[in-house]
Amino acid sequence: MKTLFDAGQFAPKDRAAAFEAAFANAVSPTRVRFLTEHPASIQARVTGTQLHRNVTLVHTVNTSAVHERTEEHRNRTGPDRIAFVLFDGAPGYYEHHGHHRPLRRGNLFLTDLNAAFNYRCQGTGAGFSIQVERSQLEANVETIRSADHRLATSPLYGVVHDHLASLATHAPLLTSHQAREATAEATITLLKGLVASTSQDDHQRRAAVHDHLLDRVTLYVRMHAADPDINPDQIAAAHAISVRKLFQLWQSQSLSLNETIMQLRLEIAQRRLLAQPNLTIAAVAHASGFIDASHFSRRFRNTLGYTPTDWRALHRSVPVPPNNAATAPNPAVVR
């Protein structure tokens, strides 16, 4: 992810103002007040990447601070964006749409970036957010406001939480345009389902969960392809469905479930072979989800026409993707 702001690059007296400007550009215009009397102790960093023209990932870390978006800020025009935030900092509190609640590590919450809000964290505050244009969620302001209060009641809450946690780790590794586009598309679908499933209408809730089941399963497979223990029983159990139901869902895909996992693992292996040229073939195999190096080499050669060693030598002159993108499967593989 690209560094958008680093307090260490500014003189202590300029850090607060510079961070406020960077936060306004990356997230939303707010008033930022650091809870320290010593400017030299202010630490803050903002990184981000754009998956799609309507989907942006932002990671923010800063020392104790208050972020306040007031009515004054609301009068400024700007993109109509919604942020889904995975909080990973010291305890604090959050006020949005008149509701006041505690913030704890691991919380997933939703923020209308055009609304007034107040966030306070006494200690290191950290959050990974995915910002989406509201039009992509097909939800009006009242629906978003209702979803904000009921997010944790959604049956999709855990799935979206885990997906954002995986993105926080793997986003820097999505180096190709195709991978970013596919990830953005799948993420928007999940977020739409999350918002719709917070409805108090039982029929609408059930429909939202059902409609997005295949998307959830597909994302799970993408994110866990390198797990050597992944299997249909595990995938089905993670989504509270039977193995039979899982295979019925997967019938619409161009590759079988096992073929998809194998193709994703070979993608991971190809990237790791280039990004870590000193890693042994056995280590590459293990890191890509293969238990046996011989089986890995055989499948690799059958698919690509070369042994892993020969393929690495042949492609050694190919530029390695930035950020050592060796571990993330290409989400575009699964269709």
Side-chain angles (χ1 to χ4, degrees):
M1 295 173 76
K2 181 180 179 181
T3 299
L4 305 177
F5 175 82
D6 187 343
Q9 297 177 352
F10 293 84
K13 65 182 180 62
D14 298 326
R15 290 178 182 176
F19 176 70
E20 185 172 291
F23 192 87
N25 186 57
V27 182
S28 179
T30 61
R31 180 181 297 121
V32 180
R33 179 167 54 89
F34 284 94
L35 303 177
T36 177
E37 297 179 358
H38 307 289
S41 67
I42 293 176
Q43 297 296 326
R45 182 177 173 84
V46 181
T47 56
T49 188
Q50 191 167 21
L51 291 183
H52 183 269
R53 62 182 180 277
N54 296 318
V55 182
T56 304
L57 305 179
V58 177
H59 183 228
T60 303
V61 181
N62 58 262
T63 48
S64 301
V66 176
H67 295 256
E68 183 181 18
R69 181 173 170 84
T70 66
E71 291 299 324
E72 175 188 347
H73 293 113
R74 291 184 64 185
N75 292 331
R76 305 179 190 176
T77 58
D80 189 8
R81 293 179 298 178
I82 308 300
F84 295 81
V85 184
L86 189 60
F87 183 70
D88 189 32
Y93 73 78
Y94 172 60
E95 186 175 355
H96 187 220
H97 288 309
H99 284 248
H100 183 285
R101 55 192 147 183
L103 273 181
R104 299 185 179 90
R105 177 165 290 173
N107 282 170
L108 171 63
F109 60 96
L110 176 159
T111 301
D112 179 348
L113 295 179
N114 278 344
F117 57 83
N118 188 296
Y119 154 79
R120 180 188 182 103
C121 183
Q122 186 72 46
T124 299
F128 177 83
S129 68
I130 181 162
Q131 301 174 21
V132 182
E133 295 293 321
R134 186 168 60 82
S135 61
Q136 298 295 304
L137 301 175
E138 300 177 2
N140 58 32
V141 173
E142 290 304 317
T143 299
I144 293 296
R145 180 173 297 186
S146 175
D148 173 41
H149 306 327
R150 297 175 53 83
L151 211 61
T153 69
S154 168
L156 298 182
Y157 179 91
V159 176
V160 175
H161 180 286
D162 291 348
H163 175 58
L164 293 189
S166 295
L167 275 182
T169 300
H170 293 110
L173 310 177
L174 298 172
T175 57
S176 74
H177 175 75
Q178 185 181 30
R180 289 193 296 270
E181 286 278 317
T183 301
E185 180 181 349
T187 300
I188 288 174
T189 300
L190 264 185
L191 296 179
K192 284 170 58 179
L194 176 65
V195 171
S197 66
T198 62
S199 170
Q200 292 181 292
D201 184 317
D202 288 341
H203 175 73
Q204 187 175 349
R205 285 168 61 91
R206 287 195 297 270
V209 173
H210 179 269
D211 289 347
H212 297 284
L213 182 55
L214 179 58
D215 299 300
R216 291 157 53 202
V217 171
T218 302
L219 279 171
Y220 184 90
V221 171
R222 291 173 182 165
M223 295 300 177
H224 294 82
D227 178 358
D229 297 322
I230 191 172
N231 58 61
D233 288 336
Q234 175 186 324
I235 298 168
H239 296 86
I241 59 175
S242 67
V243 174
R244 180 180 179 184
K245 174 67 174 178
L246 171 64
F247 284 121
Q248 288 176 341
L249 278 173
W250 203 265
Q251 284 179 352
S252 62
Q253 303 300 293
S254 58
L255 296 177
S256 72
L257 184 57
N258 285 337
E259 289 171 339
T260 297
I261 294 172
M262 182 58 63
Q263 187 163 342
L264 286 168
R265 286 176 173 172
L266 291 173
E267 260 311 296
I268 298 169
Q270 286 176 267
R271 296 182 181 185
R272 192 172 287 276
L273 283 167
L274 290 183
Q276 295 179 287
N278 296 324
L279 208 61
T280 66
I281 299 303
V284 170
H286 179 74
S288 305
F290 294 89
I291 297 176
D292 181 76
S294 297
H295 176 238
F296 162 63
S297 295
R298 185 166 58 253
R299 292 303 299 258
F300 194 98
R301 182 170 186 173
N302 289 343
T303 302
L304 298 171
Y306 297 92
T307 66
T309 300
D310 291 342
W311 188 91
R312 173 186 267 169
L314 182 66
H315 294 81
R316 190 164 290 166
S317 60
V318 177
V320 177
N323 297 315
N324 290 332
T327 59
N330 183 350
V333 171
V334 182
R335 293 293 186 188

